[in-house]
Amino acid sequence: LLLESRRRRRLEEASGNRGVVPVRWTAELWAWNCFLWPVCVVADALGLDLLITMPTSIERLQREAERRTGLSDWGRTANFPGLYEFVVDRVNDLKLRVSPLGRLIHLDYLLRRLMRRLEVVDDAKKKAAKARDEPLQLTFITGLPRTGTTLLHRLLSLDPEARYPKTYELLDPLSTDDVETRVERVDKALNFVKRLVPQVDAIHEMGAREPEECLIALSLEMPMLFGHIMRICVTPTGDVSIPDLRDAYLLYEHQLRCLDDDDSEKKKRWVLKSPAHLAFIDSLVAAFPSANIVWTHRDPAQSVPSACSMFRTFAELTQHSTVDLHAIGAEQLAYWAAAVTKAETDLAAHPNTAHVDYDELYRDPVAAVAKLYEVFHWGPISPAFHARMTAYLDKNKAERAAIPAHIRKLHRYSLEDYGLSTPTIRDAFASYYTTHLPQHPSS
């Protein structure tokens, strides 16, 4: 610990980058990394066949996934396994910065997504005759991170007529284990993460039975969690290249149909959500032409630094020594500015689109939901739905107020922390301000 602390100080002094700051590790995060460090050193030195051994390769992870599932048809596409191979190479390149626990988290995530891909591809092949027998009724919520997408998703999911993917379902859509076992397993893993980085509670609500983001399912084609989506799309020089993910959405469709088959109530309308959709609207619409799309809007000068704080938390979970906040800021700005520009073009010809203002959503959430129901002709809000939303909002307000001040403090942020400024944001999102936030002073 002493050697690591001294090395970290030397890195900070040598960098000359004011954005380089020490990681904020909890005692438990320190303990796990100290426990795993010698294991990593020995595994790497001897080349042991362990998941945690680095460098690793996509071929090694695929072999292990095949061994655990007994399957071998990967359903290769234009992006697979190329995007996985790219991410594995980047994880290998980051070896000196990824913490021992971080390398276990990265590699375990990739392995489990590869296992799920094998299972979903195999199941889709078996059920090819009945695939796409009738279109799913899908509503996708997207927008810049930290623009109210989670709140809106939670509220729409409370409609007795709506269906939403729960975390435990997205993580393993074809599992034959009983629901309580799956829920207990996922909650145990999520609670472990919350102990390691407690500020995550102030950033994003997590629970096995909670509505969760689509990026878990889309990761069967392109790894997205833990910042991998940024590493794929943003080059070291700041250029942005966004791949075509139609195949990812088609795989997602099969996962949703599998969950539909297991749904005894046969809800008629899916409510889905992820800010990640914003960059891939063209792929989404190509796979689901009749889908409804809801775009939430908030001043990027507020949402972008909040997103940076969230990705800083991911970095602190998986890196050791220091985190470069300015690098996070530059990467987030480049990616989301490109995503917004692309989304404006992609949605121009899509008729089933609605827009929700962040301030209006938080000022009167029920009224904002009622407007959406008018836009999509879903009828009036039922008394049961209204009661559920009111109860949820009261409960959520109390839970967030109960988050300790020292935890909330870890999610405090500013543009300057991440090497950004209001003029920088204004320039990058100039068209977005004019089109979607004309009343805002920044426009």
Side-chain angles (χ1 to χ4, degrees), residues 236-253:
T237 59
D239 296 323
V240 180
S241 176
I242 297 174
D244 185 332
L245 286 193
R246 182 175 180 179
D247 290 320
Y249 283 102
L250 293 177
L251 269 183
Y252 190 18
E253 178 185 18

Side-chain angles (χ1 to χ4, degrees), residues 64 83 85 105 110 193 222 235 254 271 287 305 312 399-400:
E64 181 62 17
L83 295 181
E85 187 173 9
I105 289 172
L110 294 173
V193 172
M222 170 181 167
T235 68
H254 184 73
V271 180
R312 176 186 183 178
E399 289 175 347
R400 296 191 72 79

Side-chain angles (χ1 to χ4, degrees), residues 40 44 52-54 95 98-107:
C40 292
D44 292 352
I52 205 169
T53 303
M54 290 180 69
K95 178 181 175 181
V98 175
S99 66
L101 182 61
R103 71 161 74 176
L104 181 60
I105 289 172
H106 280 300
L107 299 177

